[in-house]
Amino acid sequence: MTTPIDKNHATKLLRQMLLIRRFEEKSAELYSATKIRGFLHLYIGEEAVAVGVMAALTPEDAVVATYREHGQALARGMSADSIMAEMYGKLEGCCKGRGGSMHIFDSSTHFYGGNAIVGGGLPVAVGLALADSMLGRNRVTCCFFGDGAVAEGAFHESMNMAALWKLPVLFLCENNLYAMGTAIRYTQAQPDIAAKAVGYRMKSAAVDGMDVMAVEAAASKAADHIRQGNGPYLLECRTYRFRPHSMFDTELYRSKEEVEQWKAHDPIEKLTRRLSDAGLLNDQDRAALEQDVAREVESAVAFAEAGTWEPVENLTSFVYSERREL
Amino acid sequence: MAKMTMVQALNLALKQEMAQDDSVVLLGEDVGPDGGVFRVTDQLIDIYGKERVIDTPLAESAIVGMGIGMAIHGLKPVCEIQFSGFAYQNFHQLENHAARMRWRTQGRLTVPMVMRAPYGGGVRALEHHSESREAYWAHTPGLKMVIPSGPRNARALLVAAIRDPDPVIFYEAKGLYRAFREEVPEEEEVMEIGVPQLVQEGDDVTFISYGAMLRPALEAAEQLAAEGINVEVIDLLTISPLDDRLLIESVKKTGRAVIVHEAPRSFGAGAEIVSRLLEGAFYYLEAPVQRVTGYDIVIPYFSREKAYMPDTARIIKAARATLNT
């Protein structure tokens, strides 16, 4: 990079990635301790994608994410407290304990899930963008999805319609090379995901998803393109998940060597090195960040622990807008 | 009041709702210049333009999925699916998102949208173009399942569906689209969703039906009246959520019930209604409740369709079974 690094901004990115990493390490512990149930899909290794992309969005933009969305939710600015409490199933969570790990929603940050269904959020994102466009609001809807979702029909329907109508959608593919346990070479006739945009006459690019600054730059370029009224954009972030798919994954589909090779590209260590090489971060700074993040995670756990369960008699509420007296 | 077909009445509902609320938007395949397969959206594009009457590609899951996103962002989308049998393509969007958004977020996000689709037999078609699978939607908590039985209530219920804060599946009996005309007032008329209607009073046996099957039920009631058998007829109008109070009160009075629907028999709406009657009126029953329904097969091709559809003869036979006559 020839442009100078903005120290404050870069430190903020580093802190967000650290927060996601430590939050999720803690979540894994809490899962094993059966404090968190449901399923748990960790984002560890992919932090640069969520953090880089969110840095390119405005607070008015909308975000649709996947079931591996703790990172997006934290990077979007949702409180660790409300996310942790949600994973605990407590009333103090963002969905008051009904959504769980895979269904994190927050209308105040325009964070529309959290979605257990692979590819399920894509058409919804196109609808959010269509509404914005009809209501004359210059906003971007950023839709995260994995390489697995690219095999779903909804991906193609959504890409086609967004391009046909020039809708402000940022299609954000987090390509971590595996659709759960199946490598992309076994699932895609064209494994170059960015290349798929050609068929929809859509602009696209691929970026190193382990480099947060590269992701931010690529996402900003994509968002600018969209905001200028040029229609949607497909950005493929090439990344890697260091942990198993979920907490029940024997990982027979990849070698330990491969995982180790990717860990050498750890996005947090990469940014740390870059900042210290530039003289913008020393060991004490990093340690201070770690402490700060650890406090935030501990406080989120305490918040979730102190929370309350939804009374069982409440479970029939919010099925419909109101119940006629039956 | 003008006499209208159900197609005209539905068109009136859409036209007036779009006039009084800018957030109402139509989307679907061929809803624009073509006016929809059955012309329900005829000429609406001329009044409201292609911004609000949106012709989409053939992509049912994206049509409904977009509707969900539009609803979350403040619009009131009315999605048209050309035939209810094509809605299996978008089942996942309704089941996975629309139906559970309110519950999952405890009311912080809601999906006020409508999916309209023609359903049902009697038009000499086949399979997806003739079937009646309302039970799929009725089985999903969070969706409302509405089926009108004629032009006037179709218009009033479609208005209610568009204004409803929940996702509404609105099935239109295609056999009724142009079957008969009714007086439909030009001025606004809205019916409440979730309220069955007493169509005809009687003391001897209760007929419970909905959609296109209401007419054969009424014809059967008329024929039985000639023999001095007085049938009470209830039009369900909303399948789910089901308000069973009127049904139970009626059966407490008559002691007998016949349920008529063209959907397959097993696990259909009739099965749920029987359960409700057993729970609410068991000690008043004089005879086992009868169901006159379609069969547990794919609806047959036109040449054998008649044998599948419930008709007055089958309804009368069922009524006699309850009356032991």
Side-chain angles (χ1 to χ4, degrees), chain A residues 127-137, chain B residues 21-27 51-52 54 66-78 110-114 162 164:
Chain A
L128 292 167
L130 176 56
D132 280 339
S133 146
M134 290 177 70
L135 296 168
R137 306 191 290 221
Chain B
D21 184 350
D22 286 344
S23 64
V24 179
V25 180
L26 311 186
L27 62 163
E51 300 295 314
R52 291 179 67 198
I54 305 170
M66 281 195 306
I68 294 166
M70 293 163 86
I72 289 172
H73 260 183
L75 297 177
K76 289 183 184 156
V78 180
T110 60
V111 183
M113 67 176 292
V114 180
I162 293 169
D164 200 277

Side-chain angles (χ1 to χ4, degrees), chain A residues 235-251:
Chain A
L235 180 60
E236 176 193 356
C237 297
R238 293 180 177 158
T239 184
Y240 200 80
R241 138 172 85 63
F242 294 169
R243 296 287 187 110
H245 163 73
S246 73
M247 300 301 280
F248 308 98
D249 176 3
T250 47
E251 290 188 87

Side-chain angles (χ1 to χ4, degrees), chain B residues 2-185:
Chain B
K3 284 212 153 210
M4 292 186 190
T5 63
M6 195 158 111
V7 166
Q8 292 167 326
L10 290 164
N11 183 270
L12 177 70
L14 294 170
K15 188 164 76 180
Q16 291 185 335
E17 282 306 284
M18 292 183 82
Q20 66 96 25
D21 184 350
D22 286 344
S23 64
V24 179
V25 180
L26 311 186
L27 62 163
E29 297 159 10
D30 299 316
V31 296
D34 214 24
V37 192
F38 291 96
R39 307 289 175 268
V40 173
T41 58
D42 191 33
Q43 294 182 32
L44 296 179
I45 194 168
D46 302 333
I47 308 172
Y48 301 108
K50 61 182 170 52
E51 300 295 314
R52 291 179 67 198
V53 182
I54 305 170
D55 259 335
T56 66
L58 277 73
E60 286 79 9
S61 74
I63 293 168
V64 171
M66 281 195 306
I68 294 166
M70 293 163 86
I72 289 172
H73 260 183
L75 297 177
K76 289 183 184 156
V78 180
C79 302
E80 176 174 306
I81 298 298
Q82 292 192 325
F83 288 87
S84 67
F86 302 174
Y88 313 137
Q89 301 278 62
N90 59 251
F91 184 84
H92 61 102
Q93 284 294 325
L94 288 162
E95 174 65 52
N96 294 329
H97 307 308
R100 50 187 87 191
M101 199 66 80
R102 180 185 293 279
W103 190 88
R104 175 196 280 160
T105 65
Q106 304 237 26
R108 288 167 179 174
L109 290 175
T110 60
V111 183
M113 67 176 292
V114 180
M115 183 193 89
R116 295 180 38 246
Y119 87 100
V123 295
R124 297 169 65 81
L126 75 166
E127 293 207 24
H128 306 86
H129 301 74
S130 296
E131 59 207 19
S132 181
R133 299 283 166 85
E134 57 276 14
Y136 293 152
W137 312 112
H139 194 64
T140 298
L143 297 179
K144 292 178 176 173
M145 173 75 235
V146 174
I147 306 187
S149 59
R152 187 163 179 171
N153 60 36
R155 184 278 192 102
L157 284 167
L158 182 54
V159 171
I162 293 169
R163 296 181 188 180
D164 200 277
D166 290 308
V168 178
I169 311 302
F170 195 88
Y171 266 19
E172 300 160 5
K174 70 182 83 67
L176 297 183
Y177 268 151
R178 292 179 174 81
F180 62 99
R181 289 170 186 270
E182 265 179 359
E183 299 280 358
V184 177

